[in-house]
Amino acid sequence: MTLRTPLSRARGLGSAHEGAHHWWQQRVTAVAMIPLVFWFVASLASHVGADHAAMRGWLSSPLNATLLIALLVAVFHHAQLGLQVVFEDYVHCNAAKVAGIIVTKLLAVLFGIFSVVSVLMIAMGGRG
């Protein structure tokens, strides 16, 4: 039996005051992806049957390259945020949780950079 009140036992176990920022980031990336995904699908649909040169020409447009990079950044950031929530909510071993979050963030950054560099190389007429 302890002499501590329920309130004193609960103090310090509450919010880390980071959830709202994370929640907003996930919503902003989701809203940003809506028009970007519609643009991307419409662009691909309008190029059905196009050859490699035509697609490189399409991607060499600064507007198309910029929108594709924005889509890639939003997708990788949104995916990383969502996977972080999964690790935080469903992985109970603290070491595995931290490792999972770190690996997820590193992979999202790595794949994001790779994707952006690939788009820029193709858009600027490099190998691709």
Side-chain angles (χ1 to χ4, degrees):
M1 178 166 191
T2 69
L3 297 176
R4 293 179 64 191
T5 66
L7 177 60
S8 69
R9 285 193 304 268
R11 284 212 172 122
L13 300 176
S15 171
H17 301 288
E18 295 179 8
H21 179 69
H22 187 103
W23 186 87
W24 271 109
Q25 281 186 329
Q26 197 158 26
R27 291 338 177 251
V28 167
T29 56
V31 169
M33 284 191 300
I34 293 170
L36 290 170
V37 167
F38 280 124
W39 161 81
F40 186 65
V41 169
S43 294
L44 289 183
S46 68
H47 287 87
V48 170
D51 62 352
H52 186 260
M55 291 307 296
R56 286 185 74 160
W58 171 79
L59 192 55
S60 67
S61 162
L63 177 64
N64 290 333
T66 301
L67 290 175
L68 184 55
I69 289 170
L71 176 62
L72 290 168
V73 169
V75 164
F76 281 112
H77 188 54
H78 185 80
Q80 180 272 315
L81 290 170
L83 288 170
Q84 180 177 340
V85 170
V86 170
F87 281 112
E88 290 171 347
D89 290 347
Y90 298 108
V91 177
H92 300 294
C93 173
N94 202 35
K97 180 187 308 187
V98 171
I101 291 171
I102 290 172
V103 168
T104 301
K105 285 185 182 205
L106 289 175
L107 287 175
V109 168
L110 179 69
F111 290 143
I113 291 171
F114 179 80
S115 299
V116 169
V117 169
S118 298
V119 168
L120 290 174
M121 285 181 68
I122 294 170
M124 293 181 188
R127 293 183 345 186

